[in-house]
Amino acid sequence: MEPPGPGRASSPSTLPGPGQAPHLLLLALLLGGAPGAQTEIRVSAPRLVEVMKGEPVTLNCSFSGAGGKEHLALQWLVTDRWGNTSPLVFAVGRKGALKRSGDPGLKPSTPFQLHPNGSLQLLSAEMGDERDYTCQILNGTTEKTEATSHLRVLVAPEPPEVIPNKGTISVVDDKAHEIATCTSRNANPAPNITWYRDGEALEIPTELNGELYAVSRTVREASGLHSLTSILYLRPKKADRDVAFHCRATYHLPNGQQGQQDAVPFYLTLHYPTENVQFWVASPAAPGGWVREGDTVSLLCRGDGNPTPEYIFTLKQGKKEEKSLETNTNGTLTLGRISRDQSGLYQCEVADFDADPGVELTQKLEIHVGYLDPLELSPGENVTLSLGDSTELGCLASGDPTPKVVWMKDSIPLDQGPRFTLTNVSFNSAGIYTCEASVPKLPGLTKTRNLQLLVQGEPELKPEEMRPQGSSGWTEGDEVTLTCSARGHPTPKLSWDHEGEPVNRVISGWVQSSLKLKVMGTVAREGVTCTASNHLGHDQHTFHFEAAASQAPQAGVAVMAAAVSVGLLLLVVALFYCMRQKGRCCRRREKVPPLPPEPEPSRPGMDRPEQTGLLSGGGGGGSGRGGHSFGDEC
């Protein structure tokens, strides 16, 4: 049914619709005496209204020619897809203040509301609501004015599903093959399907051909929704082997908008012949196909055909017949611990019978196995010389490519070349000499061999002089450690002319002996001698302790200091004792009678009384008193 446009909707009609007679009678009673009832009224409504399923939608009905005080009657009618029209709702009142009146008896699938301005609102649009909705304005006669809107309920489809062709498609066929099927289900209206190759939309012609076309089919489901299936036919090319294909479903949205959903990308499995063959050494190798003897070498052969063809490996050595090595489908030839007799011309052939006759399916690779033979030393691994001798050391190295030879001692390069001359050898010349042969073209291809040189001679002695700790020189009783080092061949023996327990050790070719002792007696006077000897001779060194002072004076000083200390101690004790005794004498003198009168002056020639009393020690009372006083005064 073609929904009428607003222009056609405003034309008047004189035939009442089904069930309209009671409404017209009611309208005549309400508007019979109203002024302006015969005024011409025009009605307009949008031709198409779109809404997503489950969302609310409003159908507007606008009219002109009616005053604000005039009474109107408005009716909404519904026409299904088979053309049957039924009333939905009836309302009367002034413009902008319409109210529902009566029950038309139609039970819609969706709840709705009628606004005072006459617009109809569906609260939740469903697929059953996709119909024609007619808004009618009735006047006091049988005339009516109407406008119709078509409601389209839009439904987004489910995500599209793609089923690719899982077989192998040949690119050499001259026809288009079925590539994939894409289905977009349950949409309203039916969606569109677009095919994409590597992100770009394919321009698919409408007619069938041998390069590219699509076949589409639309199905209306029992729910009223639509499902679309599209089958893509394509004649692929070799360039499509790594290209992603996918389909996209495009569907309608309100207000002319569009939505889209993409299916999961897929890839094609193609059968295409070989056009190029490559053959190379995968393991580490030097330019020119050089590899090291003993390495595991992998040769890789790759053709760009599909499915993978067979690879045939052969070897050609000089004038010998070609030797078959291996046939496989992975294109890898592994040579474990390759040897020099495996050098030669290797060949890889791709067995692809679909390839163009002009394609070169065979590739060749020259392999050279580099090697080094064991080194030969002259005059041998162990060489013994005497002091002052001269000799020439030789190192013979053979290999392919020609190796480079260098002599070293203690990791220090000495000379380039297989021969090295030693002149006037000394003990410093003794040691380990290394001959190293290498191939610069093949890093890591190296061999070494050691030669030990012994220099025989009488011992060479090196003492370590010890200095006194004090600035005044050695003193008897000082402890000292004497050290002697010697070298030679045969290895010398170290000995001391002093008793003790020396500590012996070997350091960097030197024999070392250390002796700990005290500087006393004979050691201080004559010194200590260290001797190094072997059957070729001996060498010795005497350690002297010049100006070794005796410790006797120091002992006398110590005795004298001790004596002084004891004397001072005794003096303190005597003083303390005397003070105690003096105190007692003073207490006794307090009880002595007064002294007698002064004696007469002495005559010349006579001794003084003090002298007489002191020297005689007796005689009369004076002598006794004088002796008593001397004792009392201590």
Side-chain angles (χ1 to χ4, degrees):
M1 175 180 176
E2 175 75 13
R8 296 195 298 270
S10 62
S11 59
S13 173
T14 57
L15 296 177
Q20 293 182 4
H23 297 157
L24 292 176
L25 179 59
L26 178 61
L27 179 63
L29 294 175
L30 292 173
L31 305 178
Q38 304 299 324
T39 305
E40 181 180 0
I41 298 176
R42 294 185 176 276
V43 182
S44 62
R47 177 180 298 180
L48 178 65
V49 178
E50 294 179 328
V51 62
M52 296 301 296
K53 179 183 177 182
E55 295 183 359
V57 61
T58 299
L59 301 174
N60 294 318
C61 179
S62 59
F63 44 90
S64 60
K69 297 181 179 180
E70 297 181 15
H71 286 271
L72 302 174
L74 180 142
Q75 180 175 231
W76 280 98
L77 306 174
V78 179
T79 303
D80 59 24
R81 58 178 178 171
W82 294 283
N84 300 320
T85 302
S86 303
L88 179 62
V89 65
F90 185 80
V92 296
R94 293 186 179 88
K95 182 178 181 181
L98 297 174
K99 295 182 180 181
R100 294 178 59 174
S101 176
D103 186 1
L106 179 64
K107 301 298 182 183
S109 60
T110 302
F112 66 89
Q113 292 179 352
L114 182 66
H115 295 287
N117 63 356
S119 60
L120 180 68
Q121 183 183 22
L122 304 182
L123 300 183
S124 177
E126 300 295 334
M127 280 300 301
D129 298 323
E130 186 169 286
R131 303 176 182 181
D132 287 340
Y133 293 81
T134 302
C135 173
Q136 288 186 346
I137 301 297
L138 307 177
N139 54 19
T141 65
T142 59
E143 295 180 354
K144 62 181 179 179
T145 305
E146 64 183 27
T148 301
S149 295
H150 178 71
L151 177 64
R152 177 182 290 176
V153 180
L154 305 179
V155 180
E158 300 172 5
E161 298 179 359
V162 62
I163 302 176
N165 185 344
K166 296 183 179 180
T168 300
I169 305 172
S170 177
V171 301
V172 299
D173 294 343
D174 55 356
K175 63 178 182 179
H177 294 266
E178 180 180 333
I179 300 301
T181 300
C182 182
T183 302
S184 179
R185 294 185 174 88
N186 298 322
N188 189 57
N192 294 322
I193 290 181
T194 307
W195 290 95
Y196 287 82
R197 177 189 181 275
D198 201 19
E200 295 184 2
L202 292 173
E203 299 290 339
I204 300 178
T206 56
E207 70 280 357
L208 303 181
N209 58 77
E211 295 292 335
L212 174 65
Y213 65 93
V215 176
S216 300
R217 181 178 69 256
T218 303
V219 176
R220 184 182 179 89
E221 308 290 349
S223 61
L225 301 177
H226 302 83
S227 298
L228 176 64
T229 299
S230 177
I231 304 174
L232 176 65
Y233 292 84
L234 172 68
R235 181 185 177 186
K237 298 178 176 57
K238 184 178 178 180
D240 296 326
R241 64 187 183 276
D242 297 323
V243 171
F245 290 82
H246 78 278
C247 64
R248 173 178 294 172
T250 306
Y251 54 92
H252 293 277
L253 295 174
N255 303 320
Q257 301 296 316
Q258 285 188 334
Q260 61 185 27
Q261 294 178 341
D262 289 338
V264 178
F266 63 93
Y267 295 85
L268 301 179
T269 302
L270 302 180
H271 174 205
Y272 44 87
T274 302
E275 295 179 351
N276 297 283
V277 178
Q278 293 180 324
F279 192 28
W280 72 97
V281 182
S283 53
W290 284 94
V291 297
R292 295 179 303 190
E293 187 176 39
D295 285 353
T296 296
V297 178
S298 296
L299 306 182
L300 298 188
C301 187
R302 292 291 183 268
D304 58 355
N306 192 60
T308 302
E310 284 191 337
Y311 297 91
I312 303 171
F313 294 96
T314 57
L315 172 61
K316 178 70 173 176
Q317 293 177 309
K319 297 181 179 180
K320 297 180 181 180
E321 293 184 0
E322 193 172 76
K323 177 182 178 181
S324 179
L325 298 178
E326 187 176 333
T327 299
N328 57 44
T329 56
N330 60 22
T332 302
L333 177 63
T334 301
L335 305 174
R337 296 189 61 82
I338 192 169
S339 61
R340 65 191 70 180
D341 58 0
Q342 291 178 284
S343 297
L345 184 64
Y346 287 79
Q347 177 178 289
C348 169
E349 180 181 359
V350 177
D352 189 348
F353 302 102
D354 294 328
D356 188 274
V359 176
E360 181 59 54
L361 299 177
T362 301
Q363 293 293 332
K364 298 180 181 180
L365 187 61
E366 185 79 23
I367 296 297
H368 303 280
V369 181
Y371 63 90
L372 270 177
D373 290 326
L375 305 180
E376 297 181 9
L377 298 178
S378 62
E381 288 188 340
N382 297 288
V383 179
T384 302
L385 300 176
S386 297
L387 287 171
D389 288 350
S390 298
T391 189
E392 184 180 69
L393 306 180
C395 180
L396 178 61
S398 60
D400 188 24
T402 302
K404 173 185 176 183
V405 179
V406 60
W407 280 97
M408 294 182 295
K409 184 173 186 284
D410 299 329
S411 301
I412 300 175
L414 300 176
D415 200 1
Q416 300 283 349
R419 296 191 175 278
F420 174 61
T421 301
L422 288 171
T423 59
N424 193 21
V425 298
S426 63
F427 287 134
N428 291 331
S429 304
I432 302 298
Y433 290 79
T434 301
C435 171
E436 180 183 88
S438 61
V439 178
K441 185 178 291 187
L442 288 171
L445 184 57
T446 304
K447 286 186 181 297
T448 60
R449 194 171 178 186
N450 294 331
L451 181 150
Q452 183 174 19
L453 175 64
L454 300 176
V455 178
Q456 63 182 3
E458 61 183 26
E460 176 186 334
L461 189 64
K462 182 177 71 173
E464 294 185 13
E465 294 290 346
M466 299 300 296
R467 294 184 179 181
Q469 296 180 352
S471 59
S472 60
W474 294 101
T475 304
E476 288 191 9
D478 287 351
E479 285 192 350
V480 63
T481 300
L482 306 179
T483 301
C484 271
S485 299
R487 63 178 176 177
H489 184 73
T491 303
K493 179 181 178 182
L494 289 172
S495 60
W496 300 87
D497 65 349
H498 184 79
E499 294 183 357
E501 296 182 358
V503 177
N504 300 322
R505 53 186 175 272
V506 178
I507 302 176
S508 300
W510 289 79
V511 179
Q512 187 180 86
S513 181
S514 298
L515 180 65
K516 188 175 183 180
L517 48 80
K518 288 186 177 181
V519 182
M520 296 183 67
T522 305
V523 172
R525 293 192 302 272
E526 301 178 1
V528 179
T529 301
C530 167
T531 303
S533 61
N534 61 15
H535 74 274
L536 297 178
H538 70 277
D539 192 7
Q540 64 183 16
H541 175 78
T542 300
F543 294 90
H544 293 283
F545 304 92
E546 299 291 343
S550 174
Q551 292 185 345
Q554 295 180 355
V557 172
V559 172
M560 183 178 294
V564 171
S565 299
V566 172
L568 290 176
L569 180 59
L570 293 175
L571 181 62
V572 171
V573 172
L575 180 62
F576 178 75
Y577 176 79
C578 181
M579 291 178 65
R580 287 180 59 86
Q581 292 297 327
K582 184 176 180 180
R584 292 176 182 177
C585 292
C586 293
R587 285 193 295 270
R588 290 177 182 176
R589 289 181 63 180
E590 291 177 356
K591 299 178 182 182
V592 174
L595 294 174
E598 291 288 335
E600 294 180 2
S602 60
R603 293 184 300 267
M606 296 181 65
D607 296 328
R608 291 189 306 173
E610 295 85 350
Q611 295 176 348
T612 304
L614 289 173
L615 297 176
S616 62
S623 301
R625 189 169 57 247
H628 182 76
S629 298
F630 179 79
D632 288 344
E633 293 180 355
C634 302

